[in-house]
Each structure stands twice: as C-alpha cells, then as structure tokens.
Coordinates of all heavy atoms in Angstrom, one line a residue:
M1 N -13.3 -7.9 6.2 CA -13.0 -7.7 7.6 C -12.0 -6.6 7.8 O -12.0 -5.8 8.8 CB -12.5 -9.0 8.1 CG -12.1 -8.9 9.6 SD -13.6 -9.0 10.7 CE -13.1 -10.1 11.9
S2 N -10.8 -6.7 7.1 CA -9.7 -5.6 7.3 C -10.4 -4.3 7.0 O -9.9 -3.3 7.7 CB -8.6 -6.1 6.3 OG -8.9 -5.7 5.0
R3 N -11.3 -4.1 6.0 CA -11.7 -2.7 5.7 C -12.5 -2.2 6.9 O -12.5 -0.9 7.2 CB -12.6 -2.7 4.4 CG -12.1 -3.3 3.1 CD -10.7 -2.7 2.7 NE -10.3 -2.9 1.4 CZ -9.8 -4.0 1.0 NH1 -9.5 -5.0 1.7 NH2 -9.3 -4.1 -0.3
A4 N -13.3 -3.1 7.5 CA -14.2 -2.8 8.7 C -13.3 -2.4 9.7 O -13.5 -1.4 10.6 CB -15.0 -3.8 9.1
L5 N -12.2 -3.1 10.0 CA -11.3 -2.8 11.2 C -10.6 -1.4 10.9 O -10.3 -0.7 11.8 CB -10.3 -4.0 11.3 CG -10.9 -5.2 12.0 CD1 -9.9 -6.4 11.7 CD2 -11.2 -5.0 13.4
E6 N -10.2 -1.2 9.6 CA -9.6 -0.1 9.3 C -10.5 1.1 9.6 O -10.1 2.2 10.2 CB -9.1 0.0 7.9 CG -8.5 1.3 7.3 CD -8.1 1.4 6.0 OE1 -8.5 0.5 5.2 OE2 -7.4 2.2 5.5
R7 N -11.9 0.9 9.3 CA -12.8 2.2 9.5 C -12.9 2.4 11.0 O -13.2 3.5 11.4 CB -14.1 1.7 8.9 CG -14.2 2.0 7.4 CD -15.6 2.0 7.0 NE -16.3 0.6 7.0 CZ -16.2 -0.3 6.3 NH1 -15.5 -0.3 5.2 NH2 -16.8 -1.6 6.6
L8 N -12.7 1.3 11.8 CA -12.8 1.5 13.3 C -11.5 2.0 13.8 O -11.4 2.4 15.0 CB -13.0 0.2 13.9 CG -14.4 -0.4 13.7 CD1 -14.5 -1.9 14.2 CD2 -15.4 0.4 14.3
G9 N -10.5 2.2 13.1 CA -9.2 2.7 13.4 C -8.2 1.7 14.1 O -7.1 2.1 14.5
D10 N -8.5 0.4 14.1 CA -7.7 -0.6 14.5 C -6.7 -1.0 13.3 O -7.0 -2.2 12.8 CB -8.4 -1.7 15.1 CG -7.6 -2.6 16.0 OD1 -6.3 -2.7 15.8 OD2 -8.2 -3.5 16.8
H11 N -5.6 -0.4 13.2 CA -4.9 -0.6 11.9 C -4.1 -1.8 12.1 O -3.8 -2.5 11.1 CB -4.1 0.6 11.5 CG -4.9 1.8 11.2 ND1 -4.8 3.0 12.0 CD2 -5.7 2.0 10.3 CE1 -5.7 3.8 11.5 NE2 -6.2 3.3 10.4
A12 N -3.6 -2.2 13.3 CA -2.8 -3.4 13.5 C -3.7 -4.6 13.2 O -3.3 -5.6 12.5 CB -2.4 -3.4 15.0
Q13 N -4.9 -4.6 13.7 CA -5.8 -5.8 13.5 C -6.2 -5.8 11.9 O -6.4 -7.0 11.5 CB -7.1 -5.8 14.3 CG -6.7 -6.2 15.7 CD -6.5 -7.7 16.0 OE1 -6.2 -8.4 15.1 NE2 -6.8 -8.0 17.2
A14 N -6.4 -4.8 11.4 CA -6.6 -4.6 10.0 C -5.6 -5.2 9.2 O -5.9 -6.0 8.3 CB -7.1 -3.3 9.6
A15 N -4.4 -5.0 9.5 CA -3.2 -5.5 8.8 C -3.1 -6.9 8.9 O -2.8 -7.6 8.0 CB -1.9 -4.8 9.3
R16 N -3.3 -7.5 10.2 CA -3.4 -8.9 10.3 C -4.5 -9.5 9.5 O -4.2 -10.7 8.8 CB -3.6 -9.3 11.7 CG -2.3 -9.2 12.7 CD -2.3 -9.7 13.9 NE -3.0 -8.8 14.9 CZ -2.4 -7.8 15.5 NH1 -1.2 -7.5 15.2 NH2 -3.1 -7.1 16.4
A17 N -5.8 -9.0 9.4 CA -6.8 -9.6 8.5 C -6.3 -9.4 7.1 O -6.6 -10.4 6.4 CB -8.0 -8.8 8.8
Q18 N -5.6 -8.4 6.7 CA -5.3 -8.1 5.4 C -4.3 -9.2 4.9 O -4.4 -9.6 3.8 CB -4.8 -6.7 5.2 CG -4.6 -6.3 3.6 CD -5.8 -6.4 2.9 OE1 -6.9 -6.1 3.4 NE2 -5.6 -6.6 1.6
C19 N -3.4 -9.5 5.8 CA -2.4 -10.6 5.5 C -3.1 -11.9 5.1 O -2.7 -12.7 4.2 CB -1.4 -10.8 6.6 SG -0.2 -9.5 6.8
S20 N -4.2 -12.2 5.9 CA -4.9 -13.4 5.6 C -5.6 -13.4 4.3 O -5.6 -14.4 3.5 CB -5.9 -13.7 6.7 OG -5.3 -14.0 7.9
L21 N -6.2 -12.2 3.9 CA -6.8 -12.0 2.7 C -5.9 -12.0 1.5 O -6.1 -12.7 0.5 CB -7.6 -10.6 2.7 CG -8.2 -10.3 1.4 CD1 -9.5 -11.2 1.2 CD2 -9.0 -8.8 1.6
L22 N -4.7 -11.5 1.7 CA -3.6 -11.6 0.7 C -3.2 -13.0 0.3 O -3.1 -13.3 -0.9 CB -2.4 -10.8 1.2 CG -1.1 -10.8 0.3 CD1 -1.5 -10.3 -1.1 CD2 0.0 -9.9 0.9
S23 N -3.2 -13.8 1.4 CA -2.7 -15.2 1.1 C -3.8 -16.1 0.4 O -3.5 -17.0 -0.2 CB -2.4 -15.9 2.4 OG -3.5 -16.1 3.2
L24 N -5.0 -15.5 0.4 CA -6.2 -16.3 -0.4 C -6.2 -15.9 -1.9 O -7.0 -16.5 -2.5 CB -7.4 -16.0 0.4 CG -7.5 -16.6 1.9 CD1 -8.7 -16.1 2.4 CD2 -7.5 -18.1 1.8
Q25 N -5.5 -14.9 -2.3 CA -5.6 -14.4 -3.6 C -5.0 -15.4 -4.8 O -3.9 -15.8 -4.5 CB -5.1 -13.1 -3.8 CG -5.6 -12.0 -2.9 CD -7.1 -11.8 -3.2 OE1 -7.6 -11.7 -4.2 NE2 -7.9 -12.1 -2.0
G26 N -5.8 -15.6 -5.8 CA -5.4 -16.7 -6.7 C -4.9 -16.0 -8.0 O -4.3 -16.9 -8.9
T27 N -4.9 -14.7 -8.1 CA -4.4 -14.2 -9.3 C -3.3 -13.1 -8.9 O -3.4 -12.6 -7.8 CB -5.5 -13.3 -10.2 OG1 -5.8 -12.2 -9.4 CG2 -6.6 -14.2 -10.5
A28 N -2.4 -12.8 -10.0 CA -1.3 -11.8 -9.7 C -1.9 -10.5 -9.4 O -1.5 -9.7 -8.4 CB -0.3 -11.8 -10.9
R29 N -2.9 -10.1 -10.1 CA -3.6 -8.8 -9.9 C -4.3 -8.7 -8.4 O -4.1 -7.8 -7.8 CB -4.6 -8.6 -11.0 CG -5.2 -7.1 -10.8 CD -6.1 -6.7 -12.0 NE -6.5 -5.3 -12.1 CZ -7.3 -4.6 -11.3 NH1 -8.1 -5.5 -10.2 NH2 -7.5 -3.4 -11.4
G30 N -4.8 -9.7 -8.1 CA -5.5 -9.8 -6.7 C -4.5 -9.7 -5.7 O -4.7 -8.9 -4.7
R31 N -3.3 -10.5 -5.9 CA -2.2 -10.2 -4.9 C -1.6 -8.9 -4.8 O -1.4 -8.3 -3.8 CB -1.1 -11.4 -5.2 CG -1.5 -12.8 -4.7 CD -0.3 -13.6 -5.0 NE 0.1 -13.9 -6.3 CZ -0.5 -14.6 -7.3 NH1 -1.4 -15.4 -6.9 NH2 0.0 -14.7 -8.4
A32 N -1.5 -8.3 -6.1 CA -0.9 -7.0 -6.1 C -1.7 -6.0 -5.3 O -1.4 -5.1 -4.6 CB -0.8 -6.5 -7.5
V33 N -3.1 -6.1 -5.6 CA -4.2 -5.0 -5.1 C -4.1 -5.2 -3.6 O -4.1 -4.1 -2.8 CB -5.6 -5.3 -5.7 CG1 -6.5 -4.5 -4.9 CG2 -5.5 -4.8 -7.2
E34 N -4.1 -6.5 -3.1 CA -4.4 -6.7 -1.6 C -3.0 -6.4 -0.9 O -2.9 -5.9 0.3 CB -4.7 -8.0 -1.3 CG -6.2 -8.3 -1.8 CD -7.3 -7.4 -1.4 OE1 -7.1 -6.8 -0.5 OE2 -8.3 -7.4 -2.2
A35 N -1.8 -6.6 -1.6 CA -0.5 -6.2 -0.9 C -0.5 -4.7 -0.9 O 0.0 -4.1 0.1 CB 0.6 -6.7 -1.8
Y36 N -1.0 -3.9 -1.8 CA -1.0 -2.5 -1.8 C -1.9 -2.0 -0.6 O -1.6 -1.1 0.1 CB -1.5 -2.0 -3.1 CG -1.4 -0.4 -3.2 CD1 -0.3 0.2 -3.5 CD2 -2.7 0.3 -3.2 CE1 -0.2 1.5 -3.6 CE2 -2.6 1.7 -3.3 CZ -1.3 2.3 -3.5 OH -1.2 3.7 -3.6
V37 N -3.0 -2.6 -0.4 CA -3.9 -2.3 0.7 C -3.1 -2.6 2.0 O -3.1 -1.7 2.9 CB -5.3 -3.0 0.7 CG1 -6.0 -2.9 2.0 CG2 -6.0 -2.6 -0.6
L38 N -2.4 -3.8 2.1 CA -1.7 -4.1 3.3 C -0.6 -2.9 3.5 O -0.4 -2.6 4.6 CB -1.0 -5.5 3.1 CG 0.0 -5.9 4.2 CD1 -0.8 -6.0 5.5 CD2 0.5 -7.2 3.8
A39 N 0.0 -2.5 2.5 CA 1.2 -1.5 2.6 C 0.5 -0.2 3.3 O 1.2 0.4 4.1 CB 1.8 -1.2 1.2
R40 N -0.7 0.1 2.8 CA -1.3 1.3 3.5 C -1.6 1.1 4.9 O -1.3 2.1 5.7 CB -2.7 1.6 2.6 CG -3.3 2.9 3.2 CD -4.6 3.3 2.5 NE -5.7 2.3 3.0 CZ -6.3 1.5 2.3 NH1 -6.2 1.4 0.9 NH2 -7.3 0.6 2.8
L41 N -2.2 -0.1 5.2 CA -2.4 -0.3 6.6 C -1.1 -0.4 7.5 O -1.2 0.1 8.7 CB -3.2 -1.6 6.6 CG -4.6 -1.7 6.1 CD1 -5.0 -3.1 6.0 CD2 -5.6 -0.8 6.9
E42 N -0.2 -1.0 7.0 CA 1.2 -1.0 7.7 C 1.7 0.4 7.9 O 2.1 0.7 9.0 CB 2.2 -1.8 6.9 CG 1.9 -3.3 6.9 CD 1.9 -4.0 8.2 OE1 2.1 -3.4 9.3 OE2 1.8 -5.3 8.2
R43 N 1.4 1.3 6.9 CA 1.9 2.6 7.0 C 1.2 3.4 8.2 O 1.6 4.1 9.0 CB 1.9 3.4 5.8 CG 2.4 4.8 5.8 CD 2.2 5.4 4.5 NE 0.8 5.4 3.8 CZ -0.2 6.3 4.2 NH1 -0.1 7.0 5.1 NH2 -1.4 6.0 3.5
L44 N -0.3 3.1 8.1 CA -1.1 3.9 9.1 C -0.8 3.4 10.4 O -1.0 4.2 11.4 CB -2.6 3.4 8.6 CG -3.1 4.3 7.4 CD1 -4.4 3.6 7.2 CD2 -3.2 5.7 7.7
K45 N -0.5 2.0 10.6 CA 0.0 1.7 12.1 C 1.3 2.0 12.5 O 1.7 1.9 13.6 CB -0.3 0.2 12.3 CG 0.7 -0.7 11.7 CD 0.4 -2.2 12.0 CE 1.7 -3.0 11.8 NZ 1.6 -4.4 12.2
G46 N 2.1 2.7 11.6 CA 3.4 3.3 11.9 C 4.6 2.3 11.6 O 5.7 2.7 11.9
D47 N 4.3 1.2 10.9 CA 5.4 0.3 10.6 C 5.9 0.4 9.2 O 5.4 -0.2 8.3 CB 5.0 -1.1 10.7 CG 6.1 -2.2 10.8 OD1 7.2 -1.9 10.2 OD2 5.9 -3.3 11.3
L48 N 6.7 1.4 9.0 CA 7.3 1.7 7.6 C 7.9 0.6 6.8 O 7.9 0.5 5.7 CB 8.0 3.1 7.6 CG 7.3 4.4 8.1 CD1 8.2 5.5 8.0 CD2 6.0 4.5 7.3
A49 N 8.8 -0.1 7.7 CA 9.4 -1.2 7.1 C 8.6 -2.3 6.7 O 8.6 -2.9 5.4 CB 10.4 -1.9 8.2
A50 N 7.5 -2.7 7.4 CA 6.4 -3.7 6.9 C 5.9 -3.1 5.7 O 5.4 -3.9 4.8 CB 5.5 -4.0 8.0
A51 N 5.4 -1.8 5.6 CA 4.9 -1.2 4.5 C 5.6 -1.3 3.2 O 5.2 -1.6 2.2 CB 4.5 0.4 4.8
G52 N 7.0 -1.1 3.3 CA 7.9 -1.3 2.3 C 7.9 -2.7 1.7 O 7.9 -2.9 0.6
R53 N 7.9 -3.7 2.8 CA 7.8 -5.1 2.4 C 6.7 -5.5 1.6 O 6.5 -6.3 0.6 CB 8.0 -5.9 3.5 CG 9.5 -6.0 4.1 CD 9.6 -7.0 5.2 NE 8.9 -6.9 6.3 CZ 9.1 -6.2 7.5 NH1 10.2 -5.5 7.5 NH2 8.3 -6.1 8.4
A54 N 5.4 -4.9 2.0 CA 4.2 -5.2 1.3 C 4.2 -4.5 -0.1 O 3.8 -5.2 -1.0 CB 3.0 -4.5 2.1
L55 N 4.7 -3.4 -0.3 CA 5.0 -2.9 -1.7 C 5.9 -3.8 -2.5 O 5.6 -3.8 -3.7 CB 5.5 -1.4 -1.6 CG 4.5 -0.3 -1.1 CD1 5.2 1.0 -0.9 CD2 3.3 -0.3 -2.0
E56 N 6.8 -4.2 -1.9 CA 7.6 -5.2 -2.7 C 6.9 -6.3 -3.0 O 7.1 -6.9 -4.3 CB 9.0 -5.6 -1.8 CG 9.9 -4.6 -1.8 CD 10.5 -4.0 -3.0 OE1 10.7 -4.9 -4.0 OE2 10.6 -2.8 -3.3
L57 N 6.0 -6.9 -2.3 CA 5.1 -8.1 -2.6 C 4.3 -7.6 -3.7 O 4.0 -8.3 -4.7 CB 4.2 -8.5 -1.4 CG 5.0 -9.2 -0.3 CD1 4.0 -9.3 0.9 CD2 5.5 -10.5 -0.6
A58 N 3.8 -6.4 -3.7 CA 2.8 -5.9 -4.8 C 3.6 -5.9 -6.1 O 3.1 -6.4 -7.1 CB 2.3 -4.5 -4.4
R59 N 4.8 -5.4 -6.0 CA 5.7 -5.3 -7.3 C 5.9 -6.7 -7.8 O 5.9 -6.9 -9.0 CB 6.8 -4.4 -7.1 CG 6.5 -3.0 -6.8 CD 7.9 -2.3 -6.5 NE 7.5 -0.8 -6.3 CZ 8.0 -0.3 -5.0 NH1 8.9 -0.8 -4.4 NH2 7.7 1.0 -4.8
A60 N 6.3 -7.5 -6.8 CA 6.6 -8.9 -7.4 C 5.4 -9.5 -8.0 O 5.5 -10.4 -9.0 CB 7.2 -9.8 -6.2
A61 N 4.2 -9.4 -7.4 CA 3.1 -9.9 -8.0 C 2.9 -9.7 -9.4 O 2.4 -10.5 -10.2 CB 1.9 -9.5 -7.1
V62 N 3.2 -8.4 -9.8 CA 3.1 -8.0 -11.2 C 4.2 -8.2 -12.1 O 4.4 -7.7 -13.1 CB 2.4 -6.6 -11.3 CG1 1.0 -6.5 -10.8 CG2 3.3 -5.6 -10.7
G63 N 5.2 -8.7 -11.4 CA 6.6 -8.9 -12.1 C 7.2 -7.7 -12.5 O 7.9 -7.6 -13.6
A64 N 7.3 -6.8 -11.6 CA 7.9 -5.4 -11.9 C 9.0 -5.0 -10.9 O 8.8 -5.2 -9.6 CB 6.8 -4.3 -11.9
D65 N 10.2 -4.6 -11.4 CA 11.0 -3.9 -10.5 C 10.6 -2.6 -10.2 O 9.8 -1.9 -11.0 CB 12.5 -3.9 -11.0 CG 12.7 -3.3 -12.2 OD1 12.2 -2.0 -12.4 OD2 13.4 -3.7 -13.2
A66 N 11.2 -2.0 -9.1 CA 10.7 -0.6 -8.8 C 10.7 0.4 -9.8 O 9.8 1.2 -10.3 CB 11.5 -0.1 -7.6
T67 N 11.9 0.4 -10.6 CA 12.1 1.5 -11.5 C 11.1 1.4 -12.7 O 10.5 2.3 -13.2 CB 13.5 1.4 -12.1 OG1 14.5 1.6 -11.1 CG2 13.8 2.5 -13.2
A68 N 11.0 0.1 -13.4 CA 10.1 -0.1 -14.4 C 8.5 0.1 -14.1 O 7.8 0.7 -14.8 CB 10.3 -1.6 -15.0
W69 N 8.3 -0.3 -12.8 CA 6.9 -0.2 -12.2 C 6.5 1.4 -12.3 O 5.3 1.7 -12.7 CB 6.9 -0.7 -10.8 CG 5.7 -0.7 -10.3 CD1 4.6 -1.6 -10.3 CD2 5.3 0.2 -9.2 NE1 3.6 -1.3 -9.5 CE2 3.8 -0.2 -8.7 CE3 5.7 1.3 -8.5 CZ2 3.1 0.4 -7.7 CZ3 5.0 1.9 -7.6 CH2 3.7 1.4 -7.3
H70 N 7.4 2.2 -11.8 CA 7.0 3.6 -11.9 C 6.9 4.2 -13.2 O 6.1 5.0 -13.6 CB 8.1 4.4 -11.1 CG 7.9 4.2 -9.6 ND1 6.8 4.6 -8.8 CD2 8.7 3.6 -8.6 CE1 7.0 4.4 -7.6 NE2 8.2 3.7 -7.4
R71 N 7.8 3.8 -14.2 CA 7.8 4.2 -15.6 C 6.5 3.9 -16.2 O 6.0 4.5 -17.0 CB 9.1 3.8 -16.3 CG 10.2 4.5 -16.2 CD 11.3 4.2 -17.2 NE 11.5 2.8 -17.4 CZ 12.6 2.2 -16.7 NH1 13.4 3.0 -16.1 NH2 12.8 1.0 -17.0
R72 N 6.0 2.6 -16.0 CA 4.7 2.2 -16.5 C 3.5 2.7 -15.9 O 2.4 2.6 -16.4 CB 4.8 0.7 -16.4 CG 5.5 0.0 -17.2 CD 5.3 -1.6 -17.4 NE 5.1 -2.2 -16.1 CZ 5.9 -3.0 -15.6 NH1 7.0 -3.4 -16.2 NH2 5.8 -3.6 -14.4
G73 N 3.6 3.6 -14.9 CA 2.4 4.2 -14.3 C 1.9 3.4 -13.0 O 0.8 3.9 -12.7
G74 N 2.6 2.6 -12.5 CA 2.2 2.1 -11.3 C 0.9 1.5 -11.3 O 0.7 0.6 -12.1
W75 N 0.0 1.8 -10.6 CA -1.3 1.1 -10.3 C -2.4 1.8 -11.3 O -3.5 1.4 -11.3 CB -1.8 1.4 -8.9 CG -1.0 0.8 -8.0 CD1 -0.1 1.4 -7.0 CD2 -0.8 -0.6 -7.7 NE1 0.7 0.5 -6.4 CE2 0.2 -0.8 -6.7 CE3 -1.4 -1.8 -8.3 CZ2 0.6 -2.0 -6.3 CZ3 -0.9 -3.0 -7.9 CH2 0.1 -3.2 -6.9
A76 N -1.9 2.9 -12.1 CA -2.8 3.5 -13.0 C -3.4 2.5 -14.0 O -4.4 3.0 -14.6 CB -2.1 4.7 -13.8
G77 N -2.8 1.3 -14.3 CA -3.4 0.5 -15.2 C -3.1 1.0 -16.7 O -4.0 0.8 -17.4
S78 N -2.0 1.5 -16.9 CA -1.7 2.1 -18.2 C -1.8 1.0 -19.3 O -1.5 0.0 -19.0 CB -0.2 2.7 -18.1 OG 0.2 2.9 -19.4
S79 N -2.2 1.5 -20.4 CA -2.4 0.6 -21.5 C -1.0 0.0 -21.9 O -0.9 -1.1 -22.5 CB -3.0 1.3 -22.7 OG -2.2 2.3 -23.2
R80 N 0.0 0.6 -21.5 CA 1.4 0.1 -22.0 C 1.8 -0.9 -21.1 O 2.8 -1.6 -21.2 CB 2.5 1.3 -21.9 CG 2.3 2.3 -22.9 CD 3.3 3.5 -22.7 NE 2.9 4.1 -21.5 CZ 3.6 4.9 -20.7 NH1 4.9 5.1 -21.0 NH2 3.2 5.5 -19.5
N81 N 1.1 -1.2 -19.9 CA 1.4 -2.1 -18.9 C 0.5 -3.3 -19.3 O -0.6 -3.5 -18.7 CB 1.0 -1.7 -17.5 CG 1.6 -2.7 -16.4 OD1 1.9 -3.8 -16.6 ND2 1.6 -2.2 -15.2
S82 N 1.0 -4.3 -19.9 CA 0.3 -5.5 -20.3 C -0.2 -6.3 -19.3 O -1.0 -7.2 -19.4 CB 1.1 -6.3 -21.4 OG 2.4 -6.8 -20.9
T83 N 0.5 -6.3 -18.1 CA 0.2 -7.1 -17.0 C -1.2 -6.9 -16.5 O -2.0 -7.7 -16.2 CB 1.1 -6.8 -15.7 OG1 2.4 -7.0 -16.2 CG2 0.7 -7.7 -14.6
W84 N -1.8 -5.7 -16.8 CA -3.1 -5.3 -16.4 C -4.2 -5.7 -17.4 O -5.4 -5.5 -17.0 CB -3.3 -3.9 -15.8 CG -2.3 -3.8 -14.7 CD1 -1.3 -2.9 -14.6 CD2 -2.6 -4.0 -13.4 NE1 -0.7 -2.9 -13.3 CE2 -1.5 -3.6 -12.6 CE3 -3.6 -4.7 -12.7 CZ2 -1.5 -3.8 -11.3 CZ3 -3.6 -4.9 -11.4 CH2 -2.5 -4.4 -10.5
S85 N -3.8 -5.8 -18.7 CA -4.6 -6.0 -19.8 C -5.5 -7.4 -19.7 O -5.1 -8.3 -19.1 CB -4.0 -6.0 -21.0 OG -3.3 -4.8 -21.2

C-alpha cells in the first residue's frame, strides 16, 4: 500500500501506511528494511526529523550504532556484517 501511495505522490499517506507495515515485521532485517523505506518517505514529505528517527530505528534493528554501521557498509550487506548473513 505504501509503495502505491508513494507512486501517486502522497508521501504523507505513504509514510503512515509504512509505519503500519513496519510494526508487522517479525525479523530484525525486515524491520531495518521497512524503517529505511519509512525514512525515505519522511524525507520526501519534508519531515527531516522523522526521517532521522526512522533511520535510528533501522540502525537499532540491526544492532548498530551510527559509526559502526557506516564502517560496515550500511545497507550494502557486506560479508563483514554478520547481521545480514
């Protein structure tokens, strides 16, 4: 639903739908991926503070602080990042 709303350009509704989708995720990876999408939607609707909070949720889902997260390659799924294995 959130992807369809995003394609229509309704980023506020898409972000609301994405929050619901995020809450339904059962794995850390699922929560991280959906939180990352939420961050993008929040940024597109112009709420940078909410986008930052969503990125923090994504980092928390994979158990990474900001500095270590960037060193490991972020979302690239680096082989050094055992969380994604």
Side-chain angles (χ1 to χ4, degrees):
M1 177 78 138
S2 69
R3 304 311 194 277
L5 289 165
E6 181 182 9
R7 282 192 300 274
L8 291 172
D10 192 345
H11 299 117
Q13 287 287 25
R16 282 191 278 281
Q18 188 65 26
C19 283
S20 296
L21 181 59
L22 174 58
S23 70
L24 297 174
Q25 299 306 304
T27 66
R29 186 175 195 280
R31 286 186 297 276
V33 168
E34 299 307 338
Y36 185 74
V37 171
L38 177 59
R40 185 185 71 237
L41 292 169
E42 295 289 8
R43 183 182 52 81
L44 287 171
K45 77 174 192 172
D47 191 344
L48 298 181
R53 289 189 298 272
L55 286 175
E56 287 301 320
L57 288 173
R59 290 177 184 135
V62 295
D65 66 42
T67 305
W69 184 79
H70 287 292
R71 277 197 305 264
R72 286 195 307 251
W75 300 109
S78 166
S79 62
R80 292 175 291 158
N81 186 346
S82 62
T83 306
W84 296 105
S85 300

